[in-house]
Amino acid sequence: MNVPVLLVEDTPSLQVVYKSILQNAGYTVVCAGNAREGLTAFRENNPDVVLLDLMLPDRPGQDLMTEFLHQRPTTRVIVITANGSINRAVDAMRAGAYEFLLKPFTEQRLLHAVETARAERVEPASTPPHPAGFLGSSPTMKKVYSRIASVGKSMATVFITGESGTGKEICAQAVHEASNRARGPFVPLNCGAIPADLLESEVFGHLKGSFTGALSDKPGAAAVADGGTLFLDEICEMDLNLQTKLLRFLQTSTIQPVGASQPRKVNVRIICATNRDPLAEVRARRFREDLYYRLHVVPIHLPPLRDRGGDVIDIAEGALTRMAAEENQSFTRLSNEVKTLFCQLPWPGNVRQLLNVLRHAVVLFDGPEVTLDMLPVELLHERDTVVTSTVTSGLATSGLLGKSLAEIEQMVIEETIAHAGGSVPRAARILDVAPSTIYRKRGQWNRPES
């Protein structure tokens, strides 16, 4: 602990208290009372951990933090702010702060934040690690991996957004595994799958006899997750009354089971997720604004599969190998036609839909290669819809005004054949006509038949 911790705090009494706590724990502490002194001390001592009050008399604390990080990007800055200034803490986290402390905080909370920050004073890897459960190396996913690696060691609340099927629980599990709580429990709870009248009991627990059907004491998810991570999936589905209790829990780190007379302390990190737009839910008054700002500290957005480029092939091939082994089948690869199709589809169900498609093929057929005729019929219809939409869009931009009906018909048929890979029968299915009709019309245009 030879490298000092830099404390930038303008209130003398608090400076004395924080310094005393840290020194008693064995840390060397350098203090500064304003931004000017803080910058000088930073340059002279090169600290790896900084405790920074956001309200300084001569300069905003966040501006000073930006300068610290510009000079030494690996510095762990723990920002300190008043309880009523949570928005400043959220902005600071987004700007690169490692952690935040809301006044008043306990001695244990201060020491835990510094210990965690000190334990992670390592140079960032040039290539972010591949978290367990994820496949793919597209640029959008590399950003996700980097965010998971950077927030894992923090105690900050993580808010995961993304469409259904993009892997939000896998992301939450990866954050937990990257944290100092990895040996503790990871407790997932789907807020949308539990009736509103039972959700409070599921989160906070209940005592025997506290309501009809409470035949024994039951610990809630928050108590089970003590020392680990509580993952609240579909958080925007939570009842407004329970949102108030969740906010109190986040502010006090205490829970009170249904029927209990006294609260109890728990040490839990919160990760939450939703497939909705949380700000739209706030504007619609279905989600508390203060809870949103308390939870939305470090956001992670998972992109839909259609925006991940070639990742769809990596995921499909990895899943195919695993499923073939599970079902004792001989599949080893996807056909080139299937690969092309997979890269073209919009995948509204994302990774979950892709896995279902592969499971369908592996269960009903055998390999070694997955071909188009093994895929579900509805997937081919989805392909045809995409092709029709693309053709229509292309023709709309080409300009149809001034052309005869016969010319327009020829353009539609030829564009559809092109998007169907030159296959007249496939184009005929898309246009809902007989292949002979297309062959006849193309013959009338004096063009060779396919």
Side-chain angles (χ1 to χ4, degrees), residues 194-204 206 211-212 218 242:
I194 302 170
D197 56 343
L198 296 179
L199 191 54
E200 180 178 0
S201 171
E202 291 294 324
V203 176
F204 300 119
H206 65 254
F211 56 85
T212 303
K218 177 184 178 181
L242 189 56

Side-chain angles (χ1 to χ4, degrees), residues 33-255:
N34 55 47
R36 180 180 55 80
E37 294 175 0
L39 188 57
T40 300
F42 183 83
R43 290 169 175 166
E44 291 177 351
N45 294 277
N46 201 28
D48 49 22
V49 177
V50 176
L51 284 160
L52 174 63
D53 195 320
L54 289 178
M55 297 294 289
L56 298 174
D58 57 337
R59 187 178 177 188
Q62 186 167 325
D63 289 353
L64 183 61
M65 180 191 74
T66 300
E67 191 158 348
F68 287 163
L69 294 176
H70 177 73
Q71 294 187 23
R72 191 167 185 264
T74 57
T75 304
R76 304 296 180 188
V77 181
I78 302 169
V79 297
I80 302 172
T81 189
N83 191 35
S85 304
I86 183 67
N87 290 0
R88 288 195 183 95
V90 171
D91 291 341
M93 291 294 294
R94 291 172 178 165
Y98 174 78
E99 179 64 285
F100 70 91
L101 298 172
L102 290 179
K103 298 177 181 177
F105 47 82
T106 65
E107 176 179 336
Q108 291 74 20
R109 181 77 178 89
L110 171 62
L111 291 176
H112 182 271
V114 175
E115 288 166 5
T116 304
R118 177 60 68 88
E120 202 201 353
R121 62 182 193 281
V122 294
E123 297 296 322
S126 56
T127 302
H130 229 87
F134 282 108
L135 286 174
S137 56
S138 61
T140 54
M141 289 307 295
K142 284 182 178 179
K143 291 179 181 178
V144 171
Y145 303 154
S146 179
R147 178 60 65 92
I148 290 172
S150 65
V151 306
K153 303 297 183 182
S154 169
M155 270 291 291
T157 303
V158 178
F159 202 120
I160 305 170
T161 56
E163 295 178 7
S164 180
T166 50
K168 294 187 288 295
E169 184 168 344
I170 293 174
C171 180
Q173 181 83 52
V175 172
H176 171 74
E177 294 296 334
S179 75
N180 293 327
R181 296 169 167 262
R183 294 184 179 180
F186 174 80
V187 181
L189 187 69
N190 190 321
C191 300
I194 302 170
D197 56 343
L198 296 179
L199 191 54
E200 180 178 0
S201 171
E202 291 294 324
V203 176
F204 300 119
H206 65 254
L207 300 185
K208 178 181 179 180
S210 56
F211 56 85
T212 303
L215 303 179
S216 61
D217 292 353
K218 177 184 178 181
V224 175
D226 195 8
T229 301
L230 175 60
F231 174 50
L232 298 174
D233 198 6
E234 304 306 342
I235 186 71
C236 288
E237 304 281 348
M238 182 175 283
D239 180 75
L240 280 169
N241 291 329
L242 189 56
Q243 289 180 31
T244 303
K245 296 180 180 181
L246 177 61
L247 181 62
R248 188 180 305 118
F249 164 56
L250 294 171
Q251 292 172 334
T252 65
S253 295
T254 62
I255 60 172

Side-chain angles (χ1 to χ4, degrees), residues 385-441:
T385 300
V386 172
V387 171
T388 303
S389 175
T390 305
V391 170
T392 304
S393 175
L395 291 175
T397 57
S398 300
L400 301 179
L401 292 177
K403 299 185 183 298
S404 68
L405 187 60
E407 289 173 323
I408 293 173
E409 180 185 54
Q410 181 177 347
M411 289 173 62
V412 170
I413 291 175
E414 293 296 347
E415 283 279 350
T416 304
I417 292 172
H419 281 279
S423 169
V424 170
R426 191 181 302 168
R429 288 200 303 271
I430 296 172
L431 295 172
D432 196 23
V433 297
S436 59
T437 300
I438 295 181
Y439 284 123
R440 186 180 69 254
K441 288 183 177 293

Side-chain angles (χ1 to χ4, degrees), residues 174-397:
V175 172
H176 171 74
E177 294 296 334
S179 75
N180 293 327
R181 296 169 167 262
R183 294 184 179 180
F186 174 80
V187 181
L189 187 69
N190 190 321
C191 300
I194 302 170
D197 56 343
L198 296 179
L199 191 54
E200 180 178 0
S201 171
E202 291 294 324
V203 176
F204 300 119
H206 65 254
L207 300 185
K208 178 181 179 180
S210 56
F211 56 85
T212 303
L215 303 179
S216 61
D217 292 353
K218 177 184 178 181
V224 175
D226 195 8
T229 301
L230 175 60
F231 174 50
L232 298 174
D233 198 6
E234 304 306 342
I235 186 71
C236 288
E237 304 281 348
M238 182 175 283
D239 180 75
L240 280 169
N241 291 329
L242 189 56
Q243 289 180 31
T244 303
K245 296 180 180 181
L246 177 61
L247 181 62
R248 188 180 305 118
F249 164 56
L250 294 171
Q251 292 172 334
T252 65
S253 295
T254 62
I255 60 172
Q256 187 163 351
V258 178
S261 58
Q262 296 294 329
R264 55 163 288 199
K265 283 274 187 180
V266 291
N267 181 8
V268 173
R269 183 188 190 172
I270 299 293
I271 300 177
C272 59
T274 183
N275 60 8
R276 299 185 183 184
D277 178 350
L279 272 178
E281 295 300 299
V282 170
R283 287 192 291 267
R285 299 184 181 277
R286 290 188 293 265
F287 199 76
R288 290 180 60 108
E289 184 175 14
D290 49 3
L291 179 59
Y292 168 78
Y293 285 114
R294 185 62 183 82
L295 292 171
H296 202 267
V297 177
V298 181
I300 297 179
H301 179 70
L302 296 180
L305 187 56
R306 60 183 172 274
D307 292 343
R308 293 178 55 180
D311 283 1
V312 63
I313 304 303
D314 293 339
I315 296 169
E317 290 178 335
L320 180 65
T321 299
R322 184 184 73 251
M323 292 177 184
E326 292 171 353
E327 302 291 342
N328 196 28
Q329 300 282 55
S330 59
F331 283 107
T332 59
R333 62 185 180 273
L334 306 173
S335 71
N336 290 333
E337 293 80 8
V338 169
K339 290 181 179 180
T340 300
L341 174 63
F342 280 8
C343 290
Q344 292 174 341
L345 289 173
W347 298 109
N350 293 294
V351 177
R352 187 178 295 126
Q353 181 187 5
L354 173 62
L355 297 181
N356 287 343
V357 167
L358 292 169
R359 182 69 70 178
H360 169 97
V362 171
V363 169
L364 296 181
F365 302 93
D366 198 3
E369 186 174 78
V370 175
T371 57
L372 286 176
D373 58 344
M374 298 178 183
L375 301 180
V377 174
E378 57 269 22
L379 195 72
L380 300 178
H381 287 328
E382 191 172 310
R383 183 270 312 274
D384 293 345
T385 300
V386 172
V387 171
T388 303
S389 175
T390 305
V391 170
T392 304
S393 175
L395 291 175
T397 57

